[in-house]
Amino acid sequence: MNEQPIRWGIAPIGWRNDDMPEIGAGNTLSHLLSDIVVAGFEGTEVGGFFPDAQALNKELALRNLRIAGQWFSSYIIRDGIELVIEPFRKQCQYLKEVKADVIVVSEQTGSIQGTEQNVFAEKPNFNEAEWEQLCAGLNELGAVAKEYGLRLVYHHHMGTGVQTAEEVDRLMDGTDPAQVALLYDTGHIFVSDGDYMMLLRKHIGRIGHVHFKDARRAVLDDCRESGKSFMQSFLSGMFTVPGDGCIDFREVYDLLLEHGYYGWIVIEAEQDPDVAHPLEYALIARRYIDGQLLNRLQV
Ligand SMILES: O=C1C[C@@H](O)[C@H](O)[C@@H](O)C1=O
Ligand SMILES: [Co+2]
């Protein structure tokens, strides 16, 4: 019996990547979901290639899998909240139909995550008025998400205006804890700031969803030095699954448990699936979770 109030998932991003839909395009939904079962995970997040809710629910039920949530790119600052609410509601409705728990929001105004720009040096920075507009808009979206039984979790992300620990502080200070929770992504904060524990300690009470993404230090250093874009960096192998990089997930997991975190921890490691076999890496993650996190040997 699983006594942990935590659900373990793995994201489609190792098989197919919404930031670069051309990679892994031959990997079907059936292939992905069946690999997830083989690797022993309970669910996944919705990818851009997923079908309508009815078709997805059928495939999930056949494999006893669940949906944790789905990414939503918001443009609150660029477009204004009024224009964001309609597509947001549409996505919430879909997520309600597939019985998801969270909607993952990332403000993409000025984002360079999908461009060829140097992700280590050219991120956008919001001014005071923009921060206020963003925070107020997120509070509104959080209230809308609740109508659909979902929790809005904000994803700090490389190449965006909410990337560093300081920027996450600003966002958390400016938003209502009842409407906006935090998605803690180990890989993004490590690549951005190096220290991944400080953010976790500071905002542990606001965390509503977790992405476990590991990083290869030597590749990261090389990408930073050569000023690579976000996409070039992950194609070079900057990210990997837990157990294959330099992040110590034991301290992360322990702190989450200590503070009674419940909800999803989703393994999320974007690599080129032609280089990093998705099932092989899912199994590496599974072995690490089982051996280093769940059934740790006491010494
Ligand atoms: O949660 C995520 C979703 C992806 O689309 C994104 O680019 C990735 O880095 C991530 O952390
Ligand atoms: Co993530």
Side-chain angles (χ1 to χ4, degrees), residues 45 71 104 155-157 183 185 188 211 213 268 270:
E45 293 183 359
W71 174 278
V104 176
H155 196 315
H156 56 93
H157 200 288
L183 186 161
D185 186 312
H188 280 280
H211 283 171
K213 193 197 288 295
E268 195 207 38
E270 56 260 58

Side-chain angles (χ1 to χ4, degrees), residues 104-138:
V104 176
V105 175
S106 167
E107 176 67 11
Q108 289 293 308
T109 298
S111 168
I112 59 162
Q113 93 181 58
T115 75
E116 289 307 313
Q117 285 168 271
N118 178 348
V119 74
F120 302 96
E122 297 178 66
K123 70 180 283 309
N125 293 295
F126 300 146
N127 63 32
E128 272 309 303
E130 289 170 334
W131 274 113
E132 274 172 34
Q133 194 187 354
L134 175 60
C135 292
L138 288 172

Side-chain angles (χ1 to χ4, degrees), residues 7-266:
R7 292 181 188 278
W8 290 95
I10 188 161
I13 207 160
W15 287 257
R16 282 173 71 158
N17 192 318
D18 288 347
D19 291 336
M20 283 190 87
E22 63 276 22
I23 70 166
N27 290 332
T28 62
L29 180 73
S30 300
H31 174 168
L32 164 72
L33 296 181
S34 294
D35 276 2
I36 290 175
V37 174
V38 171
F41 289 94
E42 292 162 73
T44 189
E45 293 183 359
V46 174
F49 65 101
F50 279 29
D52 62 68
Q54 201 188 358
L56 178 57
N57 282 337
K58 175 165 183 172
E59 296 298 325
L60 294 169
L62 287 169
R63 298 169 177 87
N64 195 25
L65 288 175
R66 291 180 45 125
I67 291 294
Q70 183 181 17
W71 174 278
F72 178 84
S73 292
S74 67
Y75 290 91
I76 296 170
I77 297 172
R78 187 191 71 183
D79 298 343
I81 189 67
E82 296 315 321
L83 284 187
V84 176
I85 283 186
E86 196 197 316
F88 185 78
R89 276 193 183 280
K90 203 169 159 213
Q91 194 163 315
C92 285
Q93 179 57 36
Y94 176 83
L95 288 173
K96 183 180 175 187
E97 287 170 24
V98 299
K99 302 179 189 66
D101 299 298
V102 300
I103 181 159
V104 176
V105 175
S106 167
E107 176 67 11
Q108 289 293 308
T109 298
S111 168
I112 59 162
Q113 93 181 58
T115 75
E116 289 307 313
Q117 285 168 271
N118 178 348
V119 74
F120 302 96
E122 297 178 66
K123 70 180 283 309
N125 293 295
F126 300 146
N127 63 32
E128 272 309 303
E130 289 170 334
W131 274 113
E132 274 172 34
Q133 194 187 354
L134 175 60
C135 292
L138 288 172
N139 285 338
E140 272 195 58
L141 294 185
V144 171
K146 274 190 184 167
E147 291 176 32
Y148 296 83
L150 297 162
R151 199 168 183 199
L152 184 159
V153 291
Y154 190 90
H155 196 315
H156 56 93
H157 200 288
M158 284 299 293
T160 72
V162 187
Q163 175 191 297
T164 65
E166 207 180 324
E167 288 161 347
V168 174
D169 291 350
R170 177 75 180 82
L171 190 92
M172 291 294 100
D173 283 351
T175 50
D176 179 353
Q179 312 297 2
V180 179
L182 180 65
L183 186 161
Y184 170 65
D185 186 312
T186 52
H188 280 280
I189 195 61
F190 176 71
V191 169
S192 172
D193 291 21
D195 185 339
Y196 50 89
M197 291 304 293
M198 197 177 77
L199 178 79
L200 180 63
R201 274 191 211 102
K202 194 156 185 185
H203 298 293
I204 187 88
R206 295 281 296 267
I207 291 173
H209 196 57
V210 177
H211 283 171
F212 268 14
K213 193 197 288 295
D214 209 341
R216 297 184 176 100
R217 195 185 297 272
V219 183
L220 165 60
D221 291 346
D222 180 62
C223 292
R224 197 190 300 277
E225 250 169 58
S226 48
K228 286 197 171 141
S229 68
F230 182 68
M231 291 188 296
Q232 285 164 348
S233 298
F234 77 68
L235 284 179
S236 305
M238 180 171 78
F239 293 129
T240 185
V241 295
D244 189 45
C246 59
I247 294 178
D248 182 357
F249 288 89
R250 290 171 301 186
E251 49 179 346
V252 174
Y253 184 66
D254 286 350
L255 197 66
L256 287 168
L257 286 191
E258 220 175 276
H259 286 264
Y261 173 76
Y262 66 94
W264 287 91
I265 298 180
V266 175

